[in-house]
Amino acid sequence: MDSCGLYDRNHAHTYTVFPYMQSLYYIVVFSGFFVLLQLAYSYNFFYAEQMQLFLFSSSYAWDTLMQPGGLALYLARFIVQLWYIPYSGAICVALLLTLTVFLTRKILDKITDTTLNFILSIIPSCLLLLLHTDIYYSVQGTVALILMLCMLLLSFRFVSNNVFQSLIGLVGFALLFFTTGSVAMLFAVLYLLIVFLKSKKFITTLITTVLLAMAAIMAGYLSLKLAWQGDLRLVLSPAAYYDPLLNNKLLLWSWLSFPAVMLAAFLFKVFKPFKKNIIYILTALQVVLFILFLVHTKVKDRKLFPLMAYQDYLLRNYQWDEIIETFPDKHNNQMMNVLCLALAQKGLLGDRLFAYAPQGAPSVLETWDNTQQNAMTLSDIYFHIGDIGTAQKYAMEGMTSSLQNGNTRLLQRLVETNLIFGEYEVAEKYIRMMEGTLFYRKKGHEYRTLLRNDRAVERDFLLGVKRKALFSDKGIAVFNTVRETFEQLAFNNPSCTLPMQYLLALTLAGKDLKTFRSLIEKYFRTPLLPTLSNNQQEAVIALEQNNPVFWIRNGVTTKTEQRFRAFDRDMNNQNVKDFVDKMQSAHGDTYWFYLVFYKNKAT
């Protein structure tokens, strides 16, 4: 035992916990992390994998590694690309968190060798677990922490050496800053904490403190001066590993937990007589953290979680039935957009749209909100409808707004749209990028066979249909307005009902009955609109409520007429208690209820 009471292995008692028990401990920790992540946040991983572009090329490696924090970023992106495989996301994050527990415990063992360290060491990883449930948190942050802990372990042997103490601290700080980023600041704090606990000479400790403080100041100055970062908080805090436009207080708590557990391990030696009580308290703390995670999973604002399911996995895999059957009660316009596509794909958009209480035309087809997530959804929807020009536009917007070097899903969309347009040189550029990935390489090779081969594109089961709808002797479906584009798409390929379904749904959701009238007068009982759906028949009645002849002429069935009589009868009985609720219960899925009770302006 040295003069500061720091642990000395040469005079220590061995662990009372057998080696196999230690291994079992880490297996249990890993299994717990994996099960929690896989059950509660499986879609997070598929979603995050789409939001970056990792390329196996020397230029990509060089560009990434040569920026501050580049090594941690490169390793993180390499790991995230593996999340394409089911279960791999939860496995990778569970391994990272378990490795953090292991390294934290090793550091605590340098301070005091006790079974209590197994309890203390898991606390930081529990906080990191909460961060990993947040889509805006970067895996780079956890990778950087692991590299920092490794550096801290390596530096332990030099802490008591007065000659090398300051030098090792500076070298460790510099290496970490350029390879992992702002976590070097945490290293400086932890290193100084160890120095204060172990060093025997005050002057050496003071010199180390001053030098590391100067190094931190210089790192901040150079980062701003050389434009490595545009905000000082991205240099000095864990905000560097989060969306730069957002903030999360849990980031700071996750960092503070490391010096906290180190101090707790040291102070345990002072309060050793209270060993059992401390173990009970810390065990209770971990139980509380576990309960908080479960509560966090249930009650936190998880708007993005269903978005990840709908905007990415189910939408990308064309699981239309699953989207419809599992659509949640609480939703936003982006989720409604995906639902509308699923309904349209099943031919149900005109029958079931108003059962989901749309909030105007944006619920059917939203405008871009300048986010990458929204661009991904809109690009998919417009591509399925056949509006290739708009699908390509949003794919490009999403790629350029990416913070992770690109987007694999939008990259594939740029290849597809350029092949459809016949822009083979542009398509080849994006194909080369696909061929540089791990899991999209094969698809890139398949697309390469279509280059400069119009017949091959036209025979392709997906691209051929889109090109047929885009180009025909009737015209090219590229216009400035949605109505003109969708009408031309319907003309070019009447067998595809999506453009006309969307055109009518947009007019009804926007209460644009004037346009609706012109559309049915123009297209009803033609190949483009042979029959009217339930909601469309209800809109016909809404056009002329007292003209049954007009109803019959425009395809209103007896069943729809009977529903209207019931709606009209109930509307004339407004003195009943809870009138609106009863009307919604009886007629909430009708267009009439939407017209009367949804207070939006006609568009």
Side-chain angles (χ1 to χ4, degrees), residues 21-59:
M21 290 298 292
Q22 297 184 41
S23 301
L24 179 61
Y25 170 79
Y26 291 118
I27 291 173
V28 170
V29 168
F30 167 80
S31 301
F33 286 146
F34 169 76
V35 170
L36 288 171
L37 289 166
Q38 183 61 34
L39 290 180
Y41 293 94
S42 57
Y43 287 118
N44 286 46
F45 304 113
F46 295 117
Y47 188 78
E49 183 270 329
Q50 296 288 292
M51 303 295 285
Q52 69 161 38
L53 181 62
F54 183 90
L55 300 175
F56 287 92
S57 68
S58 57
S59 60

Side-chain angles (χ1 to χ4, degrees), residues 302-321:
R302 296 177 65 206
K303 292 179 181 178
L304 276 177
F305 182 70
L307 281 179
M308 284 178 268
Y310 282 81
Q311 286 186 214
D312 180 62
Y313 190 79
L314 299 179
L315 176 57
R316 178 160 43 112
N317 291 283
Y318 303 167
Q319 296 186 16
W320 313 124
D321 290 327

Side-chain angles (χ1 to χ4, degrees), residues 447-474:
Y447 283 138
R448 185 170 288 279
T449 63
L450 303 178
L451 286 174
R452 300 171 185 85
N453 190 336
D454 288 336
R455 293 189 63 185
V457 173
E458 291 163 4
R459 288 197 302 266
D460 186 87
F461 78 99
L462 176 63
L463 306 185
V465 174
K466 303 301 181 186
R467 178 179 280 193
K468 179 182 178 182
L470 183 64
F471 301 106
S472 79
D473 53 4
K474 298 176 182 177

Side-chain angles (χ1 to χ4, degrees), residues 8 55 80 90 92 99 139 144 184 201 227 242 244 259 263 279 286 320 431 476 480 486 497 580:
D8 184 354
L55 300 175
V80 171
C92 288
L99 182 56
V139 180
K201 291 187 176 182
Y242 201 73
L263 281 172
I279 291 177
Q286 290 193 56
W320 313 124
I431 287 172
I476 302 176
N480 292 327
F486 285 12
T497 65
V580 176

Side-chain angles (χ1 to χ4, degrees), residues 568-598:
D568 189 46
R569 182 178 59 253
D570 292 341
M571 279 295 296
N572 291 320
N573 191 21
Q574 298 187 19
N575 294 323
V576 299
K577 185 179 179 181
D578 299 326
F579 169 70
V580 176
D581 291 339
K582 290 182 178 180
M583 288 296 296
Q584 184 172 21
S585 177
H587 311 287
D589 61 343
T590 67
Y591 187 59
W592 307 308
F593 181 87
Y594 178 80
L595 273 176
V596 174
F597 294 99
Y598 178 64

